[in-house]
Each structure stands twice: as structure tokens, then as C-alpha cells.
Amino acid sequence: MSAVILVTGGTGLVGKAIEHVIESEPQDSPFAKRPGEKWIFASSRDADLRDPKRTLELFEKYQPTHVIHLAALVGGLFANRERKATFLRDNMLINDNVLNTARIQKTRKVISCLSTCVFPDKIDYPLTEEKVHLGPPHDSNFGYAYAKRMVDVQNHAYKEEFGCNFTSAIPTNVFGPHDNFDLKHAHVIPALIHKCYLAKKNGTPFKVMGDGSPLRQFIYSRDLAKLFIWQLREYDDVEPVILSVSEDDEISIRDVANTIVKVMKYDAGAQFENEPNDNGQDRKPASNAKLMKLIREFKFTPFDAALQETVTWFLDNYDNART
Ligand code: NAP
Ligand code: GFB
């Protein structure tokens, strides 16, 4: 089958992971690039997707048959807390332009991204796909959360009115090579890797925000990449699917920090700032039961091994990484 797969946000953490998998999987792997497929990994320099004209030019240039839509304004707890209107507006503009342009261009399929942080903050656990809209999200990132929730609403509306094959993924927290390691605005794992690196290098304390009690699930970017490739090829339902490790794999921020100390061979320990307001959401345990029923034999990379690969990439690429 000839196909042109456009990956918007193709130069980010998840986009780079998809590129790595497509280029390195052995031919007999279900995640390998198939004959006749052309993969395009677009960045904001190819088109600022907040602009409908640039979005249309990008689609006209490549004529994608399929889109994995990753492009977004993305950040951790502290980036989201400071810029709720910007996270709301930029992501709504990007999502509206990509979906409407895909409709106009008759793109065969679009997979867009929500995130487990968009679920209602106070709701019975575990989080499952049908609970996305059943209450307000955590206050810390309501701008991003509502922009992302609208993708699910848009997918249903475009399907009903125009018959579009639009669906979405709900990844949990992601980490891996090519992440954003910015000390203030990154997600917790890349931020702590960078902080621990500087503490070891400068003999300064390794400071962790909050008290370490919150729990998270983390998926390695290269595992998530395989799940996106699976969803592109095998999943055609408008309803979202959570792409995550099991809820049994929840890990505390304290254990994350201590694992980073171990992997980076840092002699001193982590120091917790203990400001409760900096904990963000207590937990967001998402069930991957729907996914595992659909792709039974999938094996996730063990957390320590994934963290080691990420740290190795960071140390080897420090000068070019987003820091
Ligand atoms: P990332 O590393 O920050 O990459 C963002 C990508 O989007 C980059 O390629 C960036 O291009 C592009 N982009 C940003 N603004 C754009 C614009 N205005 N026009 C066109 N492209 C733009 O993000 P990520 O972590 O890979 O996230 C990818 C997707 O996964 C996002 O939709 C995010 O919401 C979702 N997600 C992420 C996580 C996580 O923990 N990281 C968790 C759940 C869901 P440049 O390289 O040119 O800046
Ligand atoms: O990845 P993160 O920033 O976002 O994790 P969320 C925040 C948790 O890590 C909080 C602790 O419990 C923080 O107290 N933490 C400790 C740190 N030290 C640090 C640090 O130096 N940097 C950061 N960032 N955290 C995000 C959403 O929520 O989840 C985004 O805000 C996105 O929209 C992402 O969807 C997946 O997991 O709290």
C-alpha cells in the first residue's frame, strides 16, 4: 500500500522516537517501515500550525494519506501553571488547523494526542477512556487539558458530519532521548536528569520540587512510538485509547529521583524542597486494559533500562539537547 505518513511535531520527544523505530526496526517487525510508505517528520520550521495558511501549504506540499498529529505546546507542571491561556490557545489553534485541513485534503486517517493529565482530577480510579469529560481537570494545567479534550470532541464531530477517520491516543507521562531537558519548563524526568547532572558536575545539591509523594506512570518514548505505529495500522475507532504502562507500575517522584541518582552515579542524595503546592496532581492512575486487549503480546521496556538509555543519550548529546 502506498502511503504518505505526516508526523506533525516530528522533531520532538515522541516524533524522534517514531523516526528511530521506523528507521531501525528489523523488516519482519510489525513496527518496521513498510514498502511504499513515505514518512515525513515536520517541525514548526516546516509550518507554524497555529497559522491555517501554513498548515494548508504543508498538507498541499506532502499530500499526506495519514497523519500522526503530535505537534503541540508541551511542558511540565511548572510551565503549564504559569501559561494556562497560552497552552489553551496555541493548542486549540494547532488542533483546529490540523483537523480542518485534514478534512479538506481528505486525509484517510488522523491520530491526535490527548494526555492522562487531562482526565478529571477527582474521579473513581483507574482512569479509563470513557471518563475523559466527567469532571474538571487538575487546576495546574486546565488550559492544556481543555485544549486536548476538545480533540476528542472534534474527532466525533468530524466523523458525524464528514465521515472523517479521526481518532486519538491518550499517552501517560513520556520520557526518552530528544526530550526537553529545560530546568524550569520540562517534565519531571528530564528536569531531574539535568539537575542531577549539574549537581554532580558543580558539587551543588540535587534539589527535587515538592515532597516526592505524588505517583506517576511513565512510558518510554520508544515504546510509545511502537504503539502509535500499531494504532496507525490497526485501530480505526473514533474513541481514544490510553497508551500507557499498567496502573500497577505507578512510581513515586521520590523513587524516580532516587533511581536517577543511582543511574547517574551521583554520590550525594536528592534533597526535597517539601513545598506541598509544588506537588501538582497527587496521582492519575490510568488503566491500559483496553490497549492490552487489542495488542496482547506488547512488552514495555523496564523503567530502569529506559532511564539508563535516556541518561546515556543526554550525556552523549548535552551540547545539542534542549536544555
Ligand atoms: P515536544 O518534545 O515538546 O515536541 C513538540 C513538537 O511539536 C516539536 O516537533 C515542535 O516543533 C512541534 N511544535 C510545537 N509548536 C508548534 C507549532 N506552533 N507548529 C508546528 N509544530 C509545533 O513534545 P512531545 O513530548 O514530543 O509531545 C508530543 C505530543 O505528545 C504532544 O501532543 C503532547 O501533548 C503529547 N504528550 C506528551 C507527553 C509527555 O510527557 N511528553 C505526555 C502525554 C502526551 P519544533 O521542534 O520546531 O519546536
Ligand atoms: O512531569 P511533571 O512536571 O508534570 O511532573 P505532571 C510534576 C511532578 O514532579 C510533581 C515533581 O509532583 C513535581 O513536584 N517534580 C519534582 C518536578 N521536581 C521536579 C522538577 O524539577 N520539574 C518538574 N517538572 N517536576 C504534566 C502536565 O503533569 O503531565 C502536562 O502538567 C503534561 O500538561 C504531562 O500532560 C504529561 O505529571 O504533574
mmCIF file of all heavy atoms in Angstrom, residues 83-119:
data_model
loop_
_atom_site.group_PDB
_atom_site.id
_atom_site.type_symbol
_atom_site.label_atom_id
_atom_site.label_comp_id
_atom_site.label_asym_id
_atom_site.label_seq_id
_atom_site.Cartn_x
_atom_site.Cartn_y
_atom_site.Cartn_z
ATOM 1 N N ARG A 83 1.277 29.420 32.307
ATOM 2 C CA ARG A 83 0.853 29.927 30.985
ATOM 3 C C ARG A 83 -0.431 29.236 30.512
ATOM 4 O O ARG A 83 -0.506 28.711 29.402
ATOM 5 C CB ARG A 83 1.977 29.703 29.965
ATOM 6 C CG ARG A 83 3.303 30.364 30.344
ATOM 7 C CD ARG A 83 4.403 29.940 29.396
ATOM 8 N NE ARG A 83 4.206 30.490 28.063
ATOM 9 C CZ ARG A 83 4.712 29.927 26.959
ATOM 10 N NH1 ARG A 83 5.354 28.780 27.020
ATOM 11 N NH2 ARG A 83 4.523 30.482 25.790
ATOM 12 N N LYS A 84 -1.463 29.264 31.361
ATOM 13 C CA LYS A 84 -2.666 28.482 31.037
ATOM 14 C C LYS A 84 -3.376 28.977 29.785
ATOM 15 O O LYS A 84 -3.819 28.173 28.957
ATOM 16 C CB LYS A 84 -3.624 28.489 32.240
ATOM 17 C CG LYS A 84 -3.046 27.692 33.412
ATOM 18 C CD LYS A 84 -3.864 27.830 34.677
ATOM 19 C CE LYS A 84 -3.181 27.098 35.825
ATOM 20 N NZ LYS A 84 -3.850 27.325 37.122
ATOM 21 N N ALA A 85 -3.434 30.304 29.587
ATOM 22 C CA ALA A 85 -4.125 30.825 28.398
ATOM 23 C C ALA A 85 -3.326 30.487 27.134
ATOM 24 O O ALA A 85 -3.902 30.108 26.104
ATOM 25 C CB ALA A 85 -4.304 32.328 28.522
ATOM 26 N N THR A 86 -2.013 30.575 27.204
ATOM 27 C CA THR A 86 -1.177 30.278 26.024
ATOM 28 C C THR A 86 -1.261 28.797 25.662
ATOM 29 O O THR A 86 -1.405 28.433 24.499
ATOM 30 C CB THR A 86 0.287 30.679 26.309
ATOM 31 O OG1 THR A 86 0.320 32.030 26.753
ATOM 32 C CG2 THR A 86 1.156 30.535 25.064
ATOM 33 N N PHE A 87 -1.215 27.934 26.672
ATOM 34 C CA PHE A 87 -1.325 26.497 26.399
ATOM 35 C C PHE A 87 -2.697 26.174 25.805
ATOM 36 O O PHE A 87 -2.826 25.333 24.910
ATOM 37 C CB PHE A 87 -1.099 25.691 27.683
ATOM 38 C CG PHE A 87 0.343 25.355 27.930
ATOM 39 C CD1 PHE A 87 1.198 26.250 28.558
ATOM 40 C CD2 PHE A 87 0.856 24.134 27.515
ATOM 41 C CE1 PHE A 87 2.532 25.949 28.761
ATOM 42 C CE2 PHE A 87 2.194 23.815 27.715
ATOM 43 C CZ PHE A 87 3.032 24.727 28.354
ATOM 44 N N LEU A 88 -3.732 26.899 26.301
ATOM 45 C CA LEU A 88 -5.084 26.666 25.772
ATOM 46 C C LEU A 88 -5.163 27.102 24.318
ATOM 47 O O LEU A 88 -5.514 26.322 23.428
ATOM 48 C CB LEU A 88 -6.112 27.433 26.606
ATOM 49 C CG LEU A 88 -7.568 27.380 26.126
ATOM 50 C CD1 LEU A 88 -8.160 25.986 26.320
ATOM 51 C CD2 LEU A 88 -8.428 28.413 26.866
ATOM 52 N N ARG A 89 -4.777 28.364 24.051
ATOM 53 C CA ARG A 89 -4.994 28.941 22.714
ATOM 54 C C ARG A 89 -4.100 28.310 21.664
ATOM 55 O O ARG A 89 -4.544 27.924 20.582
ATOM 56 C CB ARG A 89 -4.771 30.451 22.742
ATOM 57 C CG ARG A 89 -5.091 31.108 21.420
ATOM 58 C CD ARG A 89 -5.312 32.607 21.543
ATOM 59 N NE ARG A 89 -5.904 33.109 20.313
ATOM 60 C CZ ARG A 89 -5.189 33.529 19.264
ATOM 61 N NH1 ARG A 89 -3.853 33.521 19.332
ATOM 62 N NH2 ARG A 89 -5.774 33.945 18.176
ATOM 63 N N ASP A 90 -2.798 28.197 21.952
ATOM 64 C CA ASP A 90 -1.883 27.631 20.943
ATOM 65 C C ASP A 90 -2.314 26.217 20.546
ATOM 66 O O ASP A 90 -2.368 25.876 19.359
ATOM 67 C CB ASP A 90 -0.447 27.590 21.481
ATOM 68 C CG ASP A 90 0.256 28.942 21.360
ATOM 69 O OD1 ASP A 90 -0.446 29.956 21.135
ATOM 70 O OD2 ASP A 90 1.484 28.988 21.488
ATOM 71 N N ASN A 91 -2.655 25.428 21.536
ATOM 72 C CA ASN A 91 -3.016 24.040 21.210
ATOM 73 C C ASN A 91 -4.365 23.944 20.520
ATOM 74 O O ASN A 91 -4.552 23.095 19.629
ATOM 75 C CB ASN A 91 -2.931 23.177 22.474
ATOM 76 C CG ASN A 91 -1.471 22.937 22.869
ATOM 77 O OD1 ASN A 91 -0.650 22.566 22.030
ATOM 78 N ND2 ASN A 91 -1.150 23.178 24.123
ATOM 79 N N MET A 92 -5.293 24.845 20.868
ATOM 80 C CA MET A 92 -6.574 24.826 20.143
ATOM 81 C C MET A 92 -6.369 25.244 18.695
ATOM 82 O O MET A 92 -6.939 24.625 17.779
ATOM 83 C CB MET A 92 -7.587 25.736 20.844
ATOM 84 C CG MET A 92 -8.106 25.147 22.143
ATOM 85 S SD MET A 92 -9.439 26.111 22.877
ATOM 86 C CE MET A 92 -10.764 25.699 21.766
ATOM 87 N N LEU A 93 -5.527 26.252 18.465
ATOM 88 C CA LEU A 93 -5.271 26.705 17.089
ATOM 89 C C LEU A 93 -4.630 25.581 16.281
ATOM 90 O O LEU A 93 -5.063 25.244 15.172
ATOM 91 C CB LEU A 93 -4.352 27.931 17.097
ATOM 92 C CG LEU A 93 -4.969 29.259 17.551
ATOM 93 C CD1 LEU A 93 -3.865 30.310 17.743
ATOM 94 C CD2 LEU A 93 -5.998 29.742 16.538
ATOM 95 N N ILE A 94 -3.609 24.962 16.844
ATOM 96 C CA ILE A 94 -2.888 23.881 16.142
ATOM 97 C C ILE A 94 -3.865 22.752 15.808
ATOM 98 O O ILE A 94 -3.949 22.280 14.666
ATOM 99 C CB ILE A 94 -1.726 23.351 17.018
ATOM 100 C CG1 ILE A 94 -0.612 24.403 17.138
ATOM 101 C CG2 ILE A 94 -1.175 22.045 16.460
ATOM 102 C CD1 ILE A 94 0.446 24.061 18.190
ATOM 103 N N ASN A 95 -4.634 22.328 16.806
ATOM 104 C CA ASN A 95 -5.519 21.170 16.598
ATOM 105 C C ASN A 95 -6.621 21.486 15.593
ATOM 106 O O ASN A 95 -6.949 20.678 14.722
ATOM 107 C CB ASN A 95 -6.110 20.716 17.935
ATOM 108 C CG ASN A 95 -5.039 20.217 18.882
ATOM 109 O OD1 ASN A 95 -3.981 19.755 18.446
ATOM 110 N ND2 ASN A 95 -5.281 20.322 20.182
ATOM 111 N N ASP A 96 -7.189 22.705 15.687
ATOM 112 C CA ASP A 96 -8.269 23.053 14.754
ATOM 113 C C ASP A 96 -7.737 23.108 13.328
ATOM 114 O O ASP A 96 -8.354 22.578 12.395
ATOM 115 C CB ASP A 96 -8.882 24.400 15.130
ATOM 116 C CG ASP A 96 -10.127 24.676 14.297
ATOM 117 O OD1 ASP A 96 -11.050 23.817 14.309
ATOM 118 O OD2 ASP A 96 -10.149 25.685 13.564
ATOM 119 N N ASN A 97 -6.558 23.697 13.144
ATOM 120 C CA ASN A 97 -5.991 23.794 11.792
ATOM 121 C C ASN A 97 -5.651 22.421 11.215
ATOM 122 O O ASN A 97 -5.943 22.133 10.053
ATOM 123 C CB ASN A 97 -4.740 24.677 11.809
ATOM 124 C CG ASN A 97 -5.094 26.141 12.015
ATOM 125 O OD1 ASN A 97 -6.174 26.578 11.628
ATOM 126 N ND2 ASN A 97 -4.195 26.889 12.646
ATOM 127 N N VAL A 98 -5.058 21.562 12.028
ATOM 128 C CA VAL A 98 -4.660 20.245 11.503
ATOM 129 C C VAL A 98 -5.891 19.417 11.141
ATOM 130 O O VAL A 98 -5.969 18.833 10.053
ATOM 131 C CB VAL A 98 -3.762 19.498 12.519
ATOM 132 C CG1 VAL A 98 -3.599 18.030 12.131
ATOM 133 C CG2 VAL A 98 -2.390 20.178 12.613
ATOM 134 N N LEU A 99 -6.881 19.405 12.016
ATOM 135 C CA LEU A 99 -8.066 18.563 11.745
ATOM 136 C C LEU A 99 -8.882 19.123 10.586
ATOM 137 O O LEU A 99 -9.305 18.380 9.688
ATOM 138 C CB LEU A 99 -8.906 18.422 13.017
ATOM 139 C CG LEU A 99 -8.235 17.638 14.144
ATOM 140 C CD1 LEU A 99 -9.120 17.617 15.391
ATOM 141 C CD2 LEU A 99 -7.910 16.199 13.712
ATOM 142 N N ASN A 100 -9.069 20.444 10.543
ATOM 143 C CA ASN A 100 -9.874 21.001 9.449
ATOM 144 C C ASN A 100 -9.165 20.847 8.111
ATOM 145 O O ASN A 100 -9.782 20.521 7.089
ATOM 146 C CB ASN A 100 -10.177 22.475 9.727
ATOM 147 C CG ASN A 100 -11.221 23.008 8.754
ATOM 148 O OD1 ASN A 100 -12.236 22.339 8.508
ATOM 149 N ND2 ASN A 100 -10.941 24.138 8.169
ATOM 150 N N THR A 101 -7.832 21.025 8.109
ATOM 151 C CA THR A 101 -7.074 20.859 6.865
ATOM 152 C C THR A 101 -7.079 19.402 6.415
ATOM 153 O O THR A 101 -7.222 19.099 5.230
ATOM 154 C CB THR A 101 -5.629 21.360 7.063
ATOM 155 O OG1 THR A 101 -5.675 22.701 7.549
ATOM 156 C CG2 THR A 101 -4.844 21.315 5.760
ATOM 157 N N ALA A 102 -6.988 18.495 7.366
ATOM 158 C CA ALA A 102 -7.047 17.061 7.019
ATOM 159 C C ALA A 102 -8.395 16.733 6.397
ATOM 160 O O ALA A 102 -8.491 15.947 5.443
ATOM 161 C CB ALA A 102 -6.813 16.216 8.267
ATOM 162 N N ARG A 103 -9.458 17.346 6.915
ATOM 163 C CA ARG A 103 -10.792 17.128 6.320
ATOM 164 C C ARG A 103 -10.814 17.637 4.879
ATOM 165 O O ARG A 103 -11.202 16.922 3.957
ATOM 166 C CB ARG A 103 -11.873 17.845 7.118
ATOM 167 C CG ARG A 103 -13.227 17.829 6.420
ATOM 168 C CD ARG A 103 -14.236 18.734 7.040
ATOM 169 N NE ARG A 103 -13.910 20.138 6.983
ATOM 170 C CZ ARG A 103 -14.244 20.959 5.977
ATOM 171 N NH1 ARG A 103 -14.844 20.482 4.897
ATOM 172 N NH2 ARG A 103 -13.963 22.250 6.030
ATOM 173 N N ILE A 104 -10.361 18.876 4.700
ATOM 174 C CA ILE A 104 -10.386 19.492 3.359
ATOM 175 C C ILE A 104 -9.557 18.656 2.375
ATOM 176 O O ILE A 104 -9.961 18.408 1.243
ATOM 177 C CB ILE A 104 -9.849 20.935 3.430
ATOM 178 C CG1 ILE A 104 -10.793 21.817 4.263
ATOM 179 C CG2 ILE A 104 -9.635 21.521 2.043
ATOM 180 C CD1 ILE A 104 -10.177 23.154 4.688
ATOM 181 N N GLN A 105 -8.404 18.179 2.847
ATOM 182 C CA GLN A 105 -7.481 17.434 1.993
ATOM 183 C C GLN A 105 -7.845 15.953 1.883
ATOM 184 O O GLN A 105 -7.130 15.170 1.267
ATOM 185 C CB GLN A 105 -6.046 17.559 2.556
ATOM 186 C CG GLN A 105 -5.506 18.983 2.484
ATOM 187 C CD GLN A 105 -5.172 19.409 1.054
ATOM 188 O OE1 GLN A 105 -4.413 18.744 0.352
ATOM 189 N NE2 GLN A 105 -5.771 20.484 0.586
ATOM 190 N N LYS A 106 -8.924 15.567 2.535
ATOM 191 C CA LYS A 106 -9.410 14.173 2.510
ATOM 192 C C LYS A 106 -8.338 13.173 2.974
ATOM 193 O O LYS A 106 -8.147 12.095 2.371
ATOM 194 C CB LYS A 106 -9.926 13.797 1.109
ATOM 195 C CG LYS A 106 -11.119 14.651 0.682
ATOM 196 C CD LYS A 106 -11.752 14.166 -0.599
ATOM 197 C CE LYS A 106 -12.988 14.969 -1.045
ATOM 198 N NZ LYS A 106 -13.362 16.139 -0.261
ATOM 199 N N THR A 107 -7.618 13.560 4.026
ATOM 200 C CA THR A 107 -6.646 12.645 4.647
ATOM 201 C C THR A 107 -7.387 11.403 5.144
ATOM 202 O O THR A 107 -8.460 11.522 5.735
ATOM 203 C CB THR A 107 -5.952 13.351 5.828
ATOM 204 O OG1 THR A 107 -5.373 14.572 5.349
ATOM 205 C CG2 THR A 107 -4.876 12.481 6.448
ATOM 206 N N ARG A 108 -6.822 10.212 4.866
ATOM 207 C CA ARG A 108 -7.542 8.969 5.176
ATOM 208 C C ARG A 108 -7.680 8.741 6.689
ATOM 209 O O ARG A 108 -8.654 8.143 7.161
ATOM 210 C CB ARG A 108 -6.790 7.761 4.570
ATOM 211 C CG ARG A 108 -7.107 7.497 3.123
ATOM 212 C CD ARG A 108 -6.476 6.173 2.668
ATOM 213 N NE ARG A 108 -5.569 6.395 1.559
ATOM 214 C CZ ARG A 108 -4.514 5.619 1.290
ATOM 215 N NH1 ARG A 108 -4.224 4.577 2.055
ATOM 216 N NH2 ARG A 108 -3.732 5.889 0.279
ATOM 217 N N LYS A 109 -6.659 9.171 7.454
ATOM 218 C CA LYS A 109 -6.700 8.899 8.897
ATOM 219 C C LYS A 109 -5.819 9.890 9.640
ATOM 220 O O LYS A 109 -4.736 10.222 9.157
ATOM 221 C CB LYS A 109 -6.197 7.471 9.151
ATOM 222 C CG LYS A 109 -6.166 7.041 10.601
ATOM 223 C CD LYS A 109 -5.886 5.541 10.695
ATOM 224 C CE LYS A 109 -5.894 5.053 12.122
ATOM 225 N NZ LYS A 109 -5.675 3.591 12.188
ATOM 226 N N VAL A 110 -6.299 10.336 10.792
ATOM 227 C CA VAL A 110 -5.516 11.210 11.672
ATOM 228 C C VAL A 110 -5.589 10.647 13.092
ATOM 229 O O VAL A 110 -6.678 10.339 13.598
ATOM 230 C CB VAL A 110 -6.043 12.665 11.691
ATOM 231 C CG1 VAL A 110 -5.191 13.526 12.631
ATOM 232 C CG2 VAL A 110 -6.044 13.259 10.283
ATOM 233 N N ILE A 111 -4.398 10.490 13.706
ATOM 234 C CA ILE A 111 -4.357 10.151 15.140
ATOM 235 C C ILE A 111 -3.815 11.375 15.861
ATOM 236 O O ILE A 111 -2.725 11.853 15.536
ATOM 237 C CB ILE A 111 -3.395 8.976 15.436
ATOM 238 C CG1 ILE A 111 -3.732 7.754 14.591
ATOM 239 C CG2 ILE A 111 -3.421 8.618 16.923
ATOM 240 C CD1 ILE A 111 -2.717 6.629 14.739
ATOM 241 N N SER A 112 -4.578 11.915 16.813
ATOM 242 C CA SER A 112 -4.130 13.079 17.593
ATOM 243 C C SER A 112 -3.853 12.633 19.027
ATOM 244 O O SER A 112 -4.156 11.506 19.408
ATOM 245 C CB SER A 112 -5.208 14.163 17.579
ATOM 246 O OG SER A 112 -5.490 14.555 16.244
ATOM 247 N N CYS A 113 -3.313 13.571 19.813
ATOM 248 C CA CYS A 113 -2.856 13.244 21.170
ATOM 249 C C CYS A 113 -3.600 13.978 22.267
ATOM 250 O O CYS A 113 -3.661 15.203 22.265
ATOM 251 C CB CYS A 113 -1.413 13.715 21.298
ATOM 252 S SG CYS A 113 -0.265 12.405 21.247
ATOM 253 N N LEU A 114 -4.140 13.205 23.232
ATOM 254 C CA LEU A 114 -4.528 13.802 24.488
ATOM 255 C C LEU A 114 -3.380 13.480 25.454
ATOM 256 O O LEU A 114 -2.247 13.296 25.048
ATOM 257 C CB LEU A 114 -5.860 13.202 24.968
ATOM 258 C CG LEU A 114 -7.141 13.755 24.308
ATOM 259 C CD1 LEU A 114 -7.281 13.355 22.867
ATOM 260 C CD2 LEU A 114 -8.384 13.300 25.060
ATOM 261 N N SER A 115 -3.688 13.348 26.746
ATOM 262 C CA SER A 115 -2.668 13.017 27.756
ATOM 263 C C SER A 115 -3.413 12.607 29.023
ATOM 264 O O SER A 115 -4.507 13.113 29.292
ATOM 265 C CB SER A 115 -1.807 14.260 28.027
ATOM 266 O OG SER A 115 -1.109 14.108 29.246
ATOM 267 N N THR A 116 -2.841 11.728 29.821
ATOM 268 C CA THR A 116 -3.571 11.288 31.023
ATOM 269 C C THR A 116 -3.751 12.436 32.018
ATOM 270 O O THR A 116 -4.570 12.359 32.920
ATOM 271 C CB THR A 116 -2.855 10.114 31.715
ATOM 272 O OG1 THR A 116 -1.508 10.485 31.972
ATOM 273 C CG2 THR A 116 -2.926 8.854 30.877
ATOM 274 N N CYS A 117 -3.007 13.536 31.828
ATOM 275 C CA CYS A 117 -3.189 14.654 32.766
ATOM 276 C C CYS A 117 -4.448 15.449 32.429
ATOM 277 O O CYS A 117 -4.799 16.375 33.137
ATOM 278 C CB CYS A 117 -1.988 15.573 32.746
ATOM 279 S SG CYS A 117 -1.905 16.513 31.248
ATOM 280 N N VAL A 118 -5.160 15.067 31.331
ATOM 281 C CA VAL A 118 -6.372 15.826 31.006
ATOM 282 C C VAL A 118 -7.611 15.218 31.666
ATOM 283 O O VAL A 118 -8.683 15.808 31.631
ATOM 284 C CB VAL A 118 -6.596 15.957 29.473
ATOM 285 C CG1 VAL A 118 -5.324 16.371 28.772
ATOM 286 C CG2 VAL A 118 -7.202 14.737 28.867
ATOM 287 N N PHE A 119 -7.454 14.052 32.274
ATOM 288 C CA PHE A 119 -8.606 13.404 32.935
ATOM 289 C C PHE A 119 -9.104 14.266 34.106
ATOM 290 O O PHE A 119 -8.346 15.088 34.648
ATOM 291 C CB PHE A 119 -8.200 12.026 33.467
ATOM 292 C CG PHE A 119 -8.274 10.931 32.432
ATOM 293 C CD1 PHE A 119 -7.123 10.488 31.793
ATOM 294 C CD2 PHE A 119 -9.482 10.349 32.098
ATOM 295 C CE1 PHE A 119 -7.180 9.481 30.840
ATOM 296 C CE2 PHE A 119 -9.553 9.335 31.150
ATOM 297 C CZ PHE A 119 -8.397 8.905 30.523
#
